[in-house]
Amino acid sequence: MSILEMKVPSPGESITEVEIASWLVKDGDFVEKDQPIAEVDSDKATLELPAEQSGIITLKAEEGEVVQVGQVVCLIDMDGAKPEGAAAPKTENAEAPQAEEKVVEKPAIVQEAKKEEKPAASSYATGTPSPAAKKILDEKGIAPAQVSGSGKDGRITKEDAETAKVPAMGAAASTGGSRGSNTTKLSVLRRKLAARLVSVKNETAMLTTFNEVDMSEIFRLRKQYKEEFSQKHGIGLGFMSFFTKAVTRALQMYPDVNASIDGDYKINYDFCDISIAVSGPKGLMVPVLRNAETMSFRGVEANIKQLAEKVRDGKITVDEMTGGTFTITNGGTFGSMMSTPIINPPQSAILGMHNIIQRPVAVDGQVVIRPMMYVAMSYDHRIIDGKESVGFLVAVKEAIDNPVEFLMNGDERKALEL
């Protein structure tokens, strides 16, 4: 019998453990080589784990379990025959038509069943939890007496514990409405993010400065060149290319904003790697535009589109999300009017964009209606002084207010490569 031990590969440098977010196959299934069999969460991203060979799979780790890089998480019996009539797995390269799917029979003795059936009926009193169930109930703060067991002789099983509801604090008489609650374990990605956010607040001298920008000229440019730009380059002309170029210009004017702290040392970068916050199925991800200072409007838009698609498809890699020197986040896409964005360590600053509102503003002594946006810059005051932070945000403002002069060298068509 040829058995392959599948071990957890390293998702990236410095990552030592991952969490089995979900198994995409069941114990005893036949899997094809390169078929995705699991999703694993690291502290930076969620990645798919493909089968290394074809065969019958035996799972050696549970969903939600934290495993070390290099640990065996499943076995693949490469001598196991593909069940007759079984459907081909859905992979990007699969071209064979789908046959009617048959259920693969699992071994007669299931591990969980073994756990539940080991004790004799007389060994457990009604309402006694199994060891796994007791651990879950202790974590939820639920007494076994509050749970009805579905196991043999009324024993509380792991499934009973998982579905048990946390009792409401100070529960009063029923109002007739639902008073249920649900407890789920945070993913390793969310737990790591929570720890990082707390550490940023505790370990940096974070301040935020605000300003507002007039989007009138950008609206005009997009309206005038949107179709021509799309037809020639195959991508849309969005707001992010203007803000990215405004930021890279400001970073070159104020180099301390494009820096980080390493112990007693300050590291200044002569390149602008811009992290762009993108919302995905697993939460907010920050893929990086490498050397954004060298990119054209077309280049920025094309790279953002490519990275955003990878995030939404769950195919972004750890390497594509590390190494940024400055972050841009756009809470305006969700309707945010004002916020204080949190620095993405080890970076020292972040720019927050917000929603665009038609507001009355004074221009040359006259009240006019303009599309206005509030912008916020959070920064680490340990290396960025107030003068630099305010100057940086003013530089961003002047570039957004007048992009033709400050971002396009006075030639909008040439800048847009039209």
Side-chain angles (χ1 to χ4, degrees), residues 206-209 340-343 348-352 376-380:
M206 195 179 85
L207 295 177
T208 305
T209 183
T340 55
I342 296 180
I343 298 168
S348 297
I350 180 173
L351 178 74
M377 174 191 168
S378 295
Y379 61 98
D380 190 344

Side-chain angles (χ1 to χ4, degrees), residues 281-309:
K282 296 292 184 178
L284 206 64
M285 303 291 183
V286 281
V288 180
L289 297 178
R290 309 289 179 190
N291 288 104
E293 77 281 2
T294 66
M295 292 182 184
S296 63
F297 283 86
R298 177 185 58 81
V300 172
E301 294 291 356
N303 278 275
I304 289 178
K305 179 183 178 182
Q306 181 185 48
L307 291 171
E309 287 176 349

Side-chain angles (χ1 to χ4, degrees), residues 91-107:
T91 63
E92 291 183 359
N93 296 324
E95 297 180 359
Q98 298 293 311
E100 182 180 352
E101 187 173 5
K102 291 186 178 180
V103 178
V104 179
E105 292 187 1
K106 298 182 181 180

Side-chain angles (χ1 to χ4, degrees), residues 196-415:
R196 289 183 70 190
L197 293 177
V198 172
S199 70
V200 170
K201 298 288 285 186
N202 292 337
E203 298 171 9
T204 65
M206 195 179 85
L207 295 177
T208 305
T209 183
F210 302 91
N211 214 315
E212 63 177 357
V213 296
D214 185 343
M215 300 290 291
S216 298
E217 271 295 285
I218 292 179
F219 271 38
R220 178 190 69 79
L221 289 165
R222 292 184 71 234
K223 182 178 180 180
Q224 183 174 346
Y225 298 110
K226 184 176 182 179
E227 290 187 10
E228 188 178 356
F229 187 88
S230 178
Q231 289 175 358
K232 180 164 184 180
H233 303 305
I235 47 177
L237 178 60
F239 297 130
M240 287 305 300
S241 54
F242 289 94
F243 276 89
T244 300
K245 291 188 71 64
V247 161
T248 57
R249 170 180 175 268
L251 288 174
Q252 291 170 327
M253 295 170 63
Y254 296 92
D256 278 351
V257 180
N258 197 41
S260 63
I261 284 183
D262 184 9
D264 294 332
Y265 296 88
K266 178 181 70 172
I267 304 172
N268 284 91
Y269 305 100
D270 58 5
F271 53 87
C272 300
D273 283 359
I274 306 300
S275 302
I276 304 292
V278 177
S279 180
K282 296 292 184 178
L284 206 64
M285 303 291 183
V286 281
V288 180
L289 297 178
R290 309 289 179 190
N291 288 104
E293 77 281 2
T294 66
M295 292 182 184
S296 63
F297 283 86
R298 177 185 58 81
V300 172
E301 294 291 356
N303 278 275
I304 289 178
K305 179 183 178 182
Q306 181 185 48
L307 291 171
E309 287 176 349
K310 286 187 176 182
V311 168
R312 293 176 186 126
D313 293 342
K315 297 181 179 179
I316 196 74
T317 67
V318 173
D319 288 341
E320 289 171 318
M321 293 193 295
T322 55
T325 63
F326 186 94
T327 295
I328 302 175
T329 181
N330 186 5
T333 58
F334 306 107
S336 172
M337 176 182 176
M338 182 77 76
S339 69
T340 55
I342 296 180
I343 298 168
N344 181 19
Q347 299 170 21
S348 297
I350 180 173
L351 178 74
M353 299 164 56
H354 300 91
N355 61 355
I356 302 168
I357 299 293
Q358 296 283 341
R359 292 202 304 268
V361 294
V363 178
D364 297 328
Q366 300 293 321
V367 176
V368 296
I369 304 298
R370 294 287 180 86
M372 304 298 294
M373 175 197 288
Y374 290 121
V375 288
M377 174 191 168
S378 295
Y379 61 98
D380 190 344
H381 204 10
R382 293 178 300 169
I383 59 173
I384 302 173
D385 292 332
K387 179 180 178 182
E388 279 71 29
S389 65
V390 173
F392 176 91
L393 202 54
V394 168
V396 171
K397 171 181 170 56
E398 67 182 6
I400 297 300
D401 287 352
N402 193 350
V404 176
E405 177 182 349
F406 293 103
L407 301 179
M408 297 175 161
N409 295 319
D411 191 338
E412 52 204 60
R413 291 190 61 83
K414 181 177 180 181

